[in-house]
Amino acid sequence: MKIKLHIWLCIMNLHLSDEQRMLRESMARLFAAESTSERLRAAESSGFDAALWEQVSAAGIPMLRVPETEGGLESSLLDALLVAEEAGRYLASAPVIEVIVACRLLGLAGRSEAAAEHLERSLSGSVLTLALHNVATRPLQVVPAATIADAVLFLDGDELALLSGFEKPQTVANLGSDPLARIHFQECGGERLSLLVGAEAVTLFQAAIEEWKLLNTARLAGLTRQGLQMAADYSKERFAFGNAIGSFQGISHPLADAVTEAEGAQLLAWRAAWAISKGCKDAAASVSMAYWWASQVAARAMSRALHTFGGYGVSLEYDIQFYYRKSKAMVLPLGDPQQELQQVAQRLWTDVVVSLPDAGQIDLDFSLGARAEVFGEEVRAYFEKNLTPELRAHAHHSVAGFHPEFNKQLARDGLLFPHWPKQYGGLERDAYDLAAMTAVMESYGWEHVTAPITNQVAQILMMFACDEVKEEALSRFGRGEALACMGFTEPSCGCDLFAAKTKAEQQADGNWLINGQKIFTTAANLADYCFLLARTSPDKPKHAGLSVFLVPMTLPGIEVHAVHTLQDERTNIVYFSEVLLPEKYLIGPVDGGLKVMASTLEMEHGSADQYRHGHVTMVNAAEAWALQTTRDGEPLLHDRDAAGRLARSKVHLEVSTLLCRRAIWAMSEKVHSRYWGPMAKMFATEIYQRDALDLMDLAAPDTVFADHSGLGQVELGYRQSIGTTIYGGTSEVQRSLVAEQALGMPKSRN
């Protein structure tokens, strides 16, 4: 019985609205014109550009998040994030974030005529800021924008109050040249206006701090992206040894890593705002994840960016030093950013209650969509019903888990290739449904290797094969009766696919004679067809002389030899000796392999999510272990180090998930971005390996055992993760693509 189709309108969406794009563009124009390098230097002594602030105020930014009933715009939290990103990108010497947050807090808490007057002045350009900690426990604390503020909001116990008329502290030299200073709230004098007392006061203040953290995350993401672009641009201008230094992988690859992490920070901030708007149970943890991640990646990225400039980078004449200093200075007023990792742990694994701001209406959607979620549950019910004890015992993460009869059953029930067109036996499900289904299969330990490989080959056949081959191969694939493997890599050329030496020579009768060998042809021992890249015109440039074929594996002259890996997997070497292939199996035109392969690689870049699932299984296993483990008589997660390390792996996994989901979305919605796929694949696999190393240590000594359950999944992850950084194009290849496409750097693979 086939799985039923459901119609749902809710799907994943990362498009900004027209109004949001206009807001972002207007802010970019404003800051580009008013926060120039010259203006930034002129404001160094005070950290404040009064003329810039006048322009920002005139643009209505202070009222952005203030309720409409109080004269504000009541814009969404996402709108505020977009403004913060641009303020960070241009290092605006203005208290944009503090005023947005403080004005909203005053608009929500002010119940008196005096409070209304203060709000009116603040919306007109008077600088209103806020203390970041309860002054009852921290009477002396660093306050952002303290040296230029006309008033400060603060929480004293359970009383929310406003301080004005105080003597502004003197500017003190600081890392970011910002207008911050220490204020002792018991000794600073001035006029104190009580706004609100009790639980509501505490709730509103805590929500304001969470909003401040999220806006600061966005500001750091904007700063980081701009600083990296400056470094990339410089790498094209500076030459060494006759080449632009950006063509050296020692320069381009660290910047590729950094821009990936920066875009992860942006996505985390957007996702946190969406989670708040939807009331997701992990919304509070998402805020802390975003803030901690941005606090780490910004300074690390700017260190790499400055290093690109060499000795010039540390010179005060170059602007990159501003980005280096401010990337660290922005996160310090709140305190040690590493403490935020402890907040992640508490918010994930305890019953702590966190007050969050009202995010307003946010039309982004970071879920796979309601339809995909329902489909995933239907698939889960199917597996529960149909996975017999024998099938469960047969399950394996590699091709060893392939079961011919169950494969045919999945095909009959519409679960082998549910996204295929109906003419080829599919249900025309979308990529989100497919991702939900794959996640369920992973949770049952069922292999999802053979179907994705066969699917990728089939998708190319749909586009390029002749009708006769489509009828033959696609019908067999669709019924679950046949599999495909990919014959791309060769021993002599590795990831340089277009250096293939396997030859295909056309005979007088039009057929082809094939000689050569392929390596790492996963599933070749099971496959009925090999999707083969071969050289058809040796005299042409290497990219121009290639063609693609579909080779039946039953033809004489084909030998498959096993290659066993440390990941508990089998791959293969395939030898082709005088293999005579009928003419119809040419896929695309002769010497047209580049076009066919471009479609193949584009599809592979959009399927980066397949490399993330092992990471999911590993982290879930470590989390389950940690939640039920005690050490020295205490729950393991009472140990701050253990809790922090596990929380860090959860942050890493969230960034990986967001980058992979973005790649799925881009391919599904035909959004043109040539680097999102490589970026997702590179990050997902590299962070998987990094977490495997740490979780192996965290759960030692039990992780030394390969028991294939519980912590055995961590041990398997340690062995499996290293291979994922190689499969589908090594991390080095992906980094080069990211550097070229995301940052516009010179090619580093010549």
Side-chain angles (χ1 to χ4, degrees), residues 14-34:
L14 299 183
H15 281 301
L16 296 175
S17 68
D18 290 340
E19 292 78 8
Q20 287 165 338
R21 287 194 293 271
M22 289 174 60
L23 173 64
R24 170 189 266 177
E25 291 166 4
S26 66
M27 288 296 100
R29 287 195 300 270
L30 188 155
F31 289 125
E34 301 292 337

Side-chain angles (χ1 to χ4, degrees), residues 491 514-518 557-561 573-577 579:
I514 298 174
N515 286 279
Q517 61 179 303
K518 298 291 179 176
I558 300 176
E559 293 184 20
V560 179
H561 292 221
I573 298 178
V574 182
Y575 296 95
F576 300 88
S577 301
V579 176

